[in-house]
C-alpha cells in the first residue's frame, strides 16, 4: 500500500479501544465505552461494506422464547440456566429500546404466535403452559405472558400460543441508528477491512489488515460472533447458516406480528404491510447448515416455500428476495463474554438471538473491560 506521510501518521491513530465487528454487539460496546471513557479514542473495523454476519441479515424478531423452544432448552439445561437465558434476552430488548427509538428502528409491538399443525402437538405444549409461564415470571417479573388463543392462520391448528410482548423491527435501521449516535461522539467506523492477524508488542496491539495496513490499539475487542474462531482460540462456537425469503407484494395482506413453528426453527412475519418474510428450517439439514459460508440451500428453500404456501398464505406466491445469515451456536446458550489476555476481549455466541441479547452482551462486555482495563 502506497501511503502518504499524512495517511501513515494520522489516518489510523493509536486507539485506546479497537473493536472488530460492526454488528449490534460491537456497536453497543463502543457506545457504552464512549460513555465511560469520553476522551478515549475508539475505533470499529468491519470486514464488509456493511455489517456482514447476522446483524443486518436477520429477520428482525424482538422475541425471547416460545413454549416449544423453552421446553427444548430444558432437555440440555437446568431451570436456572433457562431462566437466566430468558432474563438476558429480556434485559437486552429493554436496553436496545433505551439506546434507540421505536420510530427510528420501526419497532412494532404486534405480538407473537407459536403455531401448531396438529391438535396433539398443541395439547402437549398447552399442558406445559403454566410451568413455562412460571419460568418466564421468574425471569422478567411478568405473569401469564403466554396465553392460548384461536390461531390467526386458517391452515394451521385452530389454536396457538400467543405472546403479547413480542415485537418486530427493521434491523438495518437499528444498525444505522447506532452508527449515527457513534459518529456524533467521535467513534471511527471503518468498513471493508478484514483482520489478517495481530500481535501485542510493548503493551500495544498491532493489527494487520487485508490490505497490509497496520492499526494500533491498547485494547482489542472481538465482536465477530460466528467468525470469532478465526481470530482467537475460543471453545464451543459453531457457525450456523439460516435461510431467509421475502415474498413479492401481496394484495390485501392481513398477516401482522411474528410467528414461530417447531421450537422456533421456522419463523415468519409481515414486512411492511404487503410482504411476508419466512426463514430458518436449518433442522432440515442441520449438518449441512453448520457453515460460515453464505449461500442458498435448495432443499431448505423448497421447504420454506411449501410451508409458506400451504400454512401461511394458502396459495403460492413468488419470492422477491432471498439471502442467508450466519449465527453462532454452541452447546451452551450463554454468550461468551471474556477477557482472553491483557487488553484482549471477546463477546460472541449469541445463539441466533442477536436482536434480543446483542445490546446486553455489549453492555456486559463494556463492564468487563471497565473492571479489568
Amino acid at each position: 500500500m502506497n501511503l502518504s506521510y499524512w495517511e501513515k501518521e494520522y489516518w489510523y491513530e493509536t486507539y485506546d479501544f479497537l473493536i472488530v465487528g460492526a454488528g449490534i454487539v460491537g456497536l453497543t460496546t463502543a457506545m457504552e465505552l464512549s460513555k465511560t471513557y469520553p476522551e478515549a479514542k475508539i475505533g470499529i473495523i468491519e470486514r464488509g461494506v456493511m455489517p456482514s454476519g447476522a446483524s443486518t441479515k436477520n429477520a428482525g424478531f424482538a422475541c425471547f422464547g416460545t413454549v416449544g423452544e423453552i421446553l427444548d432448552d430444558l432437555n440440555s439445561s437446568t431451570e436456572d440456566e433457562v431462566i437466566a437465558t430468558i432474563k438476558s434476552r429480556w434485559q437486552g430488548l429493554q436496553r436496545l429500546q433505551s439506546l434507540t427509538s421505536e420510530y427510528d428502528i420501526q419497532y412494532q409491538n404486534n405480538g407473537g404466535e407459536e403455531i401448531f399443525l396438529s391438535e396433539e402437538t398443541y395439547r402437549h405444549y398447552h399442558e406445559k403452559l403454566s410451568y413455562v409461564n412460571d419460568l418466564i415470571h421468574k425471569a422478567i417479573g411478568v405473569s401469564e405472558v403466554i396465553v392460548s388463543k384461536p390461531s390467526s392462520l386458517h391452515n394451521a391448528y385452530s389454536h396457538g400460543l400467543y405472546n403479547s410482548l413480542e415485537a418486530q423491527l427493521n434491523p438495518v435501521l437499528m444498525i444505522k441508528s447506532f452508527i449515527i449516535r457513534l459518529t456524533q461522539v467521535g467513534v471511527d467506523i471503518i468498513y471493508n477491512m478484514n483482520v489478517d492477524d495481530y500481535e501485542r508488542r510493548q503493551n500495544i496491539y498491532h493489527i494487520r489488515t487485508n490490505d497490509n495496513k497496520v492499526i494500533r490499539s491498547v485494547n482489542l475487542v472481538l465482536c465477530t460472533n460466528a467468525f470469532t474462531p478465526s481470530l482467537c482460540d475460543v471453545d464451543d462456537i459453531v457457525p450456523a447458516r439460516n435461510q431467509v425469503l421475502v415474498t413479492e407484494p401481496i394484495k390485501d395482506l392481513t398477516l401482522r406480528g411474528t410467528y414461530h413453528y417447531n421450537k422456533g426453527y421456522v419463523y415468519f412475519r409481515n414486512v411492511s404491510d404487503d410482504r411476508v418474510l419466512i426463514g430458518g428450517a436449518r433442522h432440515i439439514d442441520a449438518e449441512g447448515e453448520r457453515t460460515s459460508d453464505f449461500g442458498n440451500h435448495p432443499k431448505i428453500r423448497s421447504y420454506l416455500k411449501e410451508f409458506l404456501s400451504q400454512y401461511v398464505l394458502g396459495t403460492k406466491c413468488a419470492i422477491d428476495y432471498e439471502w442467508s445469515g450466519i449465527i453462532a451456536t454452541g452447546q451452551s446458550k450463554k454468550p461468551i463474554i471474556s477477557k482472553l489476555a491483557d487488553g484482549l476481549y471477546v463477546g460472541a455466541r449469541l445463539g441466533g438471538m442477536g436482536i434480543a441479547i446483542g445490546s446486553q452482551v455489549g453492555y456486559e462486555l463494556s463492564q468487563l473491560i471497565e473492571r479489568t482495563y
Side-chain angles (χ1 to χ4, degrees):
M1 174 63 67
N2 184 21
L3 297 177
S4 73
Y5 166 80
W6 313 107
E7 291 168 329
K8 192 169 184 179
E9 293 298 321
Y10 296 102
W11 194 264
Y12 300 119
E13 303 176 81
T14 298
Y15 289 103
D16 296 296
F17 304 97
L18 184 68
I19 297 165
V20 183
I24 185 171
V25 176
L27 296 173
T28 304
T29 303
M31 191 173 295
E32 297 295 342
L33 289 174
S34 71
K35 296 175 186 176
T36 305
Y37 306 103
E39 302 302 319
K41 295 174 183 176
I42 302 173
I44 305 172
I45 58 175
E46 165 61 43
R47 71 175 187 165
V49 295
M50 61 183 72
S52 54
S55 286
T56 56
K57 298 183 184 298
N58 65 64
F61 279 58
C63 56
F64 50 93
T66 64
V67 173
E69 182 190 2
I70 291 169
L71 291 175
D72 188 54
D73 287 348
L74 287 165
N75 291 326
S76 57
S77 304
T78 66
E79 279 192 4
D80 287 344
E81 289 171 336
V82 170
I83 290 169
T85 295
I86 299 168
K87 182 178 181 179
S88 178
R89 293 171 177 177
W90 181 252
Q91 289 176 330
L93 289 171
Q94 308 314 300
R95 189 170 299 281
L96 174 62
Q97 292 180 73
S98 74
L99 295 173
T100 60
S101 75
E102 292 187 0
Y103 175 81
D104 287 341
I105 65 175
Q106 293 181 353
Y107 186 94
Q108 299 177 14
N109 180 209
N110 293 325
E113 181 182 335
E114 182 174 14
I115 69 164
F116 304 93
L117 304 185
S118 71
E119 180 179 2
E120 180 183 6
T121 308
Y122 165 77
R123 293 201 177 281
H124 171 74
Y125 287 124
H126 185 264
E127 289 175 359
K128 304 287 187 178
L129 180 57
S130 178
Y131 170 59
V132 171
N133 270 327
D134 184 55
L135 295 180
I136 294 174
H137 178 259
K138 290 176 181 177
I140 71 173
V142 182
S143 301
E144 303 300 318
V145 168
I146 301 176
V147 298
S148 175
K149 287 181 62 175
S151 177
S152 57
L153 295 184
H154 298 298
N155 297 324
Y157 179 64
S158 61
H159 281 71
L161 299 177
Y162 178 77
N163 183 340
S164 64
L165 299 182
E166 274 202 18
Q168 58 203 88
L169 54 79
N170 183 319
V172 167
L173 294 185
M174 175 192 69
I175 294 297
K176 282 187 172 183
S177 70
F178 277 101
I179 291 171
I180 290 170
R181 293 187 62 177
L182 288 169
T183 302
Q184 291 171 343
V185 297
V187 173
D188 292 339
I189 306 177
I190 308 165
Y191 291 95
N192 204 27
M193 182 171 284
N194 194 36
V195 174
D196 280 353
D197 58 53
Y198 57 87
E199 62 176 338
R200 192 169 188 254
R201 302 196 305 265
Q202 298 179 335
N203 299 324
I204 299 292
Y205 280 93
H206 296 251
I207 300 98
R208 186 171 298 280
T209 68
N210 53 302
D211 54 0
N212 212 32
K213 290 188 179 74
V214 174
I215 305 177
R216 296 176 293 276
S217 181
V218 178
N219 295 279
L220 182 60
V221 186
L222 306 178
C223 300
T224 44
N225 206 27
F227 306 98
T228 304
S230 67
L231 294 174
C232 65
D233 186 16
V234 290
D235 294 328
D236 196 24
I237 292 184
V238 180
R241 184 172 62 189
N242 270 323
Q243 306 291 323
V244 184
L245 313 176
V246 175
T247 69
E248 66 181 3
I250 301 170
K251 186 178 180 181
D252 300 324
L253 179 69
T254 59
L255 186 85
R256 294 293 181 273
T258 58
Y259 294 80
H260 312 266
Y261 168 68
N262 189 17
K263 307 166 190 173
Y265 276 112
V266 176
Y267 45 83
F268 54 98
R269 54 164 283 195
N270 66 295
V271 173
S272 67
D273 292 328
D274 60 357
R275 296 179 188 267
V276 176
L277 175 153
I278 186 168
R282 70 178 188 275
H283 64 289
I284 300 298
D285 183 9
E287 189 61 35
E289 290 294 79
R290 191 173 293 177
T291 176
S292 57
D293 295 330
F294 296 97
N296 176 269
H297 191 302
K299 185 176 180 180
I300 292 178
R301 183 182 187 275
S302 177
Y303 174 89
L304 290 171
K305 286 188 66 177
E306 180 62 27
F307 191 95
L308 180 69
S309 63
Q310 185 171 354
Y311 298 110
V312 181
L313 300 176
T315 185
K316 293 186 180 298
C317 181
I319 301 299
D320 259 1
Y321 302 90
E322 56 184 296
W323 66 88
S324 61
I326 311 297
I327 67 172
T329 63
Q331 293 182 4
S332 172
K333 285 203 170 184
K334 185 177 181 180
I336 296 171
I337 304 170
S338 179
K339 180 178 181 179
L340 302 179
D342 288 343
L344 180 62
Y345 301 87
V346 62
R349 197 178 65 196
L350 276 65
M353 281 284 182
I355 294 293
I357 66 172
S359 290
Q360 187 65 19
V361 170
Y363 171 75
E364 292 182 16
L365 183 57
S366 72
Q367 294 296 294
L368 172 63
I369 294 170
E370 183 180 348
R371 291 194 306 271
T372 60
Y373 175 32

